[in-house]
Amino acid sequence: MQTTEETYIQSLFAERIGGKVFGKEQKIYKFELIKRAKRAALAAHPGVELIDFGVGEPDEMAFPGVVQELQREAEKSENRGYADNGIQEFKDAAARYMQKVYGVGGINSESEVLHGIGSKSILAMVPAIFINPGDITLMTVPGYPIIGTHTRWYGGDVVRLPLREENGFLPDIDALPADVKKRAKLLYINYPNNPTGTGATKAFFERVVKFAKENSILVVHDAAYAALTYGAKPLSFLSVDGAKNVGVEIHSLSKAFNMTGWRLAFMVGNERVVAGYGNVKDNYDSGQFKAIQKAGVYALDHPEVTDEIAAKYERRLRAMVSVLAGMGFNAKMPAGSFYLYVKMPKGIKGGRRFAHAGEFSEFLITEKLISTVPWDDAGPFIRFSATFESKSREDEQRVLNEFKKRMSILQFVF
Ligand SMILES: Cc1ncc(COP(=O)(O)O)c(C=O)c1O
């Protein structure tokens, strides 16, 4: 029996999170389904190791120099209070980092940089700066959904730009209808891309700047994986002529420095946008702990840490590509990120067929105890992440061998 209070509290929930049926809907979300399938597979095969390619965060902790800096700074009384819109040392370090890693000079660290408690929270605030009811956010799919969720919460609309293999996983912005371009205020892009692993080119960014100018749209480039590249050098949207006039870039220390839990990121670029973000942010949080920002300064001044991290992912990704390509998957080394995105096979030779990526992913967990993330937004694909756990370099090889062994028994039909 529900108490009166439980009944009326249930009736108070806002429509944006489900209204009266909040928490009672039948719909189960993808990541919950994966979690359940994992639990069921482990229960059905006690003692068998689950190979987890489903994780979207680094498998190792931050580097010792960064941790030691936090230890030192955490002890100082001067770091105890509210950080508000951030300490200048961190903003200066961010500007230095943009120059050193991306060759982007001339950033005014007072007016063109502002920290955030992770890029998730920056992305969540961007619609508050720009979206009025009826405005449009253009965003690539599949992808990180946060800016779209908040656009809707402010009464805006989301127009999805599918990332298709035939377009090299770049959005076809020029094909958008005139009325959509007219109502659009924000364009969200993310390269290297989660989940496709695609890297942007300078030519693509130039097209984006032109499109933004022609249609008076603000570009938000999510650079969460920008420093993790294989082959080509890291590329910033802001390195393209005119980009700072039409956009901002959001950098995160989460993936490039193994600092996901530390919650530290920054927005850099157009001064007016940074000012708008500062205004909204001031009404949401009081800044990241100053000692964490100071450890962040240390990290940003040591980008060679990222090179070490990238070398490890590259090694793992090459091995994963080799296993999958050897079985007929169209697996190619990604340009960046730690993701490998491959098209789902039609089925198993002489056996079952897969209707969508969710089904294939569930099959891999249930039958092979291999966890992946399925995406069905623009064709059926599954994502393997190179952040699987291993105890050592030898153990990493053992996990990869085990992956190969479990997959080799299967004969896929494409
Ligand atoms: C594309 C993308 N953007 C942003 C984030 C959020 O990162 P942060 O830890 O900086 O909030 C993620 C995390 O997975 C991501 O994949």
Short mmCIF file of all heavy atoms in Angstrom, two decimals, residues 56 118-121 123 144 188 190 194 222 224-225 252 254-255 260 263-265 339, ligand 1:
data_model
loop_
_atom_site.label_atom_id
_atom_site.label_comp_id
_atom_site.label_asym_id
_atom_site.label_seq_id
_atom_site.Cartn_x
_atom_site.Cartn_y
_atom_site.Cartn_z
N GLY A 56 33.47 2.53 -20.62
CA GLY A 56 33.78 3.78 -21.32
C GLY A 56 34.72 4.67 -20.54
O GLY A 56 34.66 5.90 -20.67
N GLY A 118 34.01 18.41 -15.02
CA GLY A 118 33.87 17.39 -16.07
C GLY A 118 33.18 17.99 -17.29
O GLY A 118 32.43 18.97 -17.19
N SER A 119 33.44 17.39 -18.47
CA SER A 119 32.78 17.94 -19.65
C SER A 119 31.30 17.60 -19.67
O SER A 119 30.51 18.28 -20.30
CB SER A 119 33.48 17.54 -20.95
OG SER A 119 33.78 16.19 -20.97
N LYS A 120 30.90 16.55 -18.96
CA LYS A 120 29.47 16.24 -18.88
C LYS A 120 28.71 17.44 -18.32
O LYS A 120 27.68 17.86 -18.85
CB LYS A 120 29.26 15.02 -17.97
CG LYS A 120 27.83 14.55 -17.91
CD LYS A 120 27.74 13.33 -17.01
CE LYS A 120 26.47 12.56 -17.25
NZ LYS A 120 26.46 11.28 -16.52
N SER A 121 29.24 18.01 -17.24
CA SER A 121 28.50 19.10 -16.63
C SER A 121 28.57 20.37 -17.49
O SER A 121 27.61 21.14 -17.54
CB SER A 121 28.90 19.29 -15.17
OG SER A 121 29.86 20.23 -15.01
N LEU A 123 28.61 20.34 -20.82
CA LEU A 123 27.64 20.07 -21.90
C LEU A 123 26.20 20.22 -21.39
O LEU A 123 25.32 20.67 -22.13
CB LEU A 123 27.85 18.66 -22.46
CG LEU A 123 29.10 18.49 -23.31
CD1 LEU A 123 29.42 17.01 -23.52
CD2 LEU A 123 28.93 19.20 -24.66
N TYR A 144 27.24 10.90 -27.51
CA TYR A 144 27.06 11.24 -26.09
C TYR A 144 25.84 12.16 -25.98
O TYR A 144 25.83 13.24 -26.57
CB TYR A 144 28.34 11.94 -25.62
CG TYR A 144 28.49 12.01 -24.13
CD1 TYR A 144 28.64 10.87 -23.37
CD2 TYR A 144 28.51 13.24 -23.48
CE1 TYR A 144 28.79 10.95 -22.00
CE2 TYR A 144 28.67 13.33 -22.11
CZ TYR A 144 28.80 12.18 -21.38
OH TYR A 144 28.95 12.25 -20.02
N TYR A 188 26.41 20.28 -32.23
CA TYR A 188 27.31 19.50 -31.38
C TYR A 188 28.02 18.46 -32.23
O TYR A 188 27.38 17.66 -32.91
CB TYR A 188 26.50 18.80 -30.28
CG TYR A 188 27.28 17.75 -29.52
CD1 TYR A 188 28.09 18.10 -28.44
CD2 TYR A 188 27.22 16.40 -29.88
CE1 TYR A 188 28.82 17.13 -27.74
CE2 TYR A 188 27.95 15.43 -29.19
CZ TYR A 188 28.74 15.81 -28.12
OH TYR A 188 29.45 14.86 -27.44
N ASN A 190 31.76 15.80 -32.14
CA ASN A 190 32.69 15.17 -31.20
C ASN A 190 33.68 14.31 -31.98
O ASN A 190 33.32 13.28 -32.51
CB ASN A 190 31.87 14.33 -30.19
CG ASN A 190 32.66 13.22 -29.52
OD1 ASN A 190 32.26 12.05 -29.53
ND2 ASN A 190 33.77 13.56 -28.93
N ASN A 194 33.13 9.30 -30.10
CA ASN A 194 32.56 8.19 -29.35
C ASN A 194 31.17 7.96 -29.95
O ASN A 194 30.36 8.90 -29.92
CB ASN A 194 32.45 8.56 -27.87
CG ASN A 194 31.69 7.51 -27.06
OD1 ASN A 194 31.44 6.41 -27.52
ND2 ASN A 194 31.31 7.87 -25.84
N ASP A 222 33.04 18.76 -28.80
CA ASP A 222 33.37 17.96 -27.62
C ASP A 222 34.68 17.24 -27.91
O ASP A 222 34.73 16.30 -28.71
CB ASP A 222 32.22 16.97 -27.39
CG ASP A 222 32.45 16.03 -26.22
OD1 ASP A 222 33.58 15.98 -25.71
OD2 ASP A 222 31.49 15.33 -25.83
N ALA A 224 36.59 15.46 -25.86
CA ALA A 224 36.91 14.56 -24.74
C ALA A 224 38.03 13.57 -25.09
O ALA A 224 38.80 13.17 -24.22
CB ALA A 224 35.66 13.81 -24.29
N TYR A 225 38.10 13.17 -26.38
CA TYR A 225 39.12 12.19 -26.78
C TYR A 225 40.18 12.79 -27.70
O TYR A 225 40.95 12.05 -28.32
CB TYR A 225 38.45 11.01 -27.50
CG TYR A 225 37.42 10.31 -26.65
CD1 TYR A 225 36.08 10.71 -26.67
CD2 TYR A 225 37.77 9.26 -25.81
CE1 TYR A 225 35.13 10.08 -25.87
CE2 TYR A 225 36.84 8.63 -25.02
CZ TYR A 225 35.51 9.04 -25.05
OH TYR A 225 34.59 8.42 -24.25
N SER A 252 38.63 17.63 -21.73
CA SER A 252 38.45 16.93 -20.46
C SER A 252 39.76 16.28 -20.03
O SER A 252 40.53 15.83 -20.87
CB SER A 252 37.39 15.85 -20.65
OG SER A 252 37.32 15.03 -19.51
N SER A 254 39.57 13.67 -18.15
CA SER A 254 39.12 12.32 -17.80
C SER A 254 39.85 11.23 -18.55
O SER A 254 40.36 10.28 -17.95
CB SER A 254 37.62 12.18 -18.10
OG SER A 254 36.88 12.94 -17.20
N LYS A 255 39.86 11.32 -19.87
CA LYS A 255 40.39 10.22 -20.67
C LYS A 255 41.86 10.44 -21.00
O LYS A 255 42.64 9.50 -21.04
CB LYS A 255 39.60 10.07 -21.97
CG LYS A 255 38.11 10.35 -21.84
CD LYS A 255 37.30 9.19 -21.34
CE LYS A 255 35.92 9.65 -20.91
NZ LYS A 255 34.83 8.79 -21.22
N THR A 260 39.03 10.31 -14.73
CA THR A 260 37.57 10.40 -14.84
C THR A 260 36.88 10.82 -13.54
O THR A 260 35.99 11.65 -13.56
CB THR A 260 36.95 9.06 -15.31
OG1 THR A 260 37.68 8.00 -14.72
CG2 THR A 260 36.98 8.91 -16.80
N ARG A 263 36.79 14.78 -11.98
CA ARG A 263 35.85 15.76 -12.51
C ARG A 263 36.52 17.10 -12.82
O ARG A 263 36.40 18.09 -12.09
CB ARG A 263 34.66 15.99 -11.55
CG ARG A 263 33.99 14.76 -11.03
CD ARG A 263 33.70 13.73 -12.09
NE ARG A 263 32.81 14.20 -13.14
CZ ARG A 263 33.05 13.98 -14.46
NH1 ARG A 263 34.13 13.31 -14.86
NH2 ARG A 263 32.20 14.42 -15.34
N LEU A 264 37.24 17.11 -13.93
CA LEU A 264 37.91 18.34 -14.33
C LEU A 264 37.97 18.45 -15.86
O LEU A 264 38.35 17.49 -16.55
CB LEU A 264 39.33 18.38 -13.74
CG LEU A 264 40.05 19.73 -13.79
CD1 LEU A 264 39.25 20.83 -13.11
CD2 LEU A 264 41.43 19.62 -13.13
N ALA A 265 37.52 19.59 -16.35
CA ALA A 265 37.47 19.84 -17.79
C ALA A 265 37.51 21.35 -17.99
O ALA A 265 37.50 22.11 -17.02
CB ALA A 265 36.17 19.27 -18.36
N TYR A 339 37.91 3.46 -28.73
CA TYR A 339 36.82 2.61 -29.19
C TYR A 339 37.06 2.02 -30.56
O TYR A 339 37.62 2.66 -31.44
CB TYR A 339 35.53 3.42 -29.23
CG TYR A 339 35.15 4.03 -27.90
CD1 TYR A 339 35.05 5.41 -27.76
CD2 TYR A 339 34.92 3.23 -26.79
CE1 TYR A 339 34.69 5.98 -26.54
CE2 TYR A 339 34.58 3.79 -25.57
CZ TYR A 339 34.46 5.16 -25.45
OH TYR A 339 34.12 5.72 -24.25
C1 LIG B 1 32.00 12.02 -26.08
C2 LIG B 1 32.06 12.24 -24.61
N1 LIG B 1 31.96 13.48 -24.14
C3 LIG B 1 32.01 13.73 -22.82
C4 LIG B 1 32.17 12.72 -21.91
C5 LIG B 1 32.18 13.06 -20.46
O1 LIG B 1 33.46 13.15 -19.96
P1 LIG B 1 33.78 13.86 -18.60
O2 LIG B 1 34.37 12.82 -17.72
O3 LIG B 1 34.73 14.97 -18.91
O4 LIG B 1 32.51 14.39 -18.02
C6 LIG B 1 32.28 11.40 -22.35
C7 LIG B 1 32.41 10.30 -21.38
O5 LIG B 1 32.33 9.15 -21.68
C8 LIG B 1 32.23 11.15 -23.74
O6 LIG B 1 32.32 9.92 -24.23
#
